[in-house]
Amino acid sequence: MYTFPGLWPFIERAAEGRTLYQLGRARELWHSKQVQDALGQLPRLDPESRKALLAHVVQVRDSLAAVVEGVDLAIAETAKATDTPLEPRRKRDR
């Protein structure tokens, strides 16, 4: 039986090269906690419930992606509107 190790090892792996501040803030995101809790429950559920819960987790992930994309747009537009140069993101930061 699979035991979900928690979301943090995956976040650490994805955040390699990022700052401690970024890692610390990642733990505070309510959506991250919701994903972690849901994935931790998955192995104990019947197949139909697992499918429904996994679909919910994907929706949460999609909402996080939309928020990040919106933040990117807000940063770019605000920098442009205020004539503030925006440093290009490193490949790892994308």
Side-chain angles (χ1 to χ4, degrees):
M1 181 182 210
Y2 177 74
T3 301
F4 180 66
L7 198 53
W8 194 246
F10 298 97
I11 291 172
E12 283 180 331
R13 200 166 66 202
E16 185 177 310
R18 295 200 172 111
T19 67
L20 289 176
Y21 175 81
Q22 291 166 322
L23 284 172
R25 296 300 301 188
R27 282 189 189 245
E28 295 174 11
L29 292 173
W30 176 81
H31 283 77
S32 293
K33 177 76 171 128
Q34 188 178 16
V35 168
Q36 176 168 299
D37 291 349
L39 291 176
Q41 293 175 36
L42 212 61
R44 297 186 301 273
L45 299 175
D46 62 88
E48 190 165 323
S49 297
R50 282 197 306 257
K51 185 178 177 181
L53 187 56
L54 197 53
H56 171 72
V57 170
V58 169
Q59 289 176 334
V60 171
R61 189 254 348 252
D62 289 348
S63 70
L64 283 169
V67 168
V68 170
E69 290 171 13
V71 168
D72 286 346
L73 288 171
I75 290 169
E77 285 187 23
T78 303
K80 184 177 178 179
T82 60
D83 294 320
T84 306
L86 183 60
E87 293 185 26
R89 293 169 53 198
R90 298 182 324 233
K91 185 176 183 181
R92 182 67 184 149
D93 290 343
R94 291 184 185 157

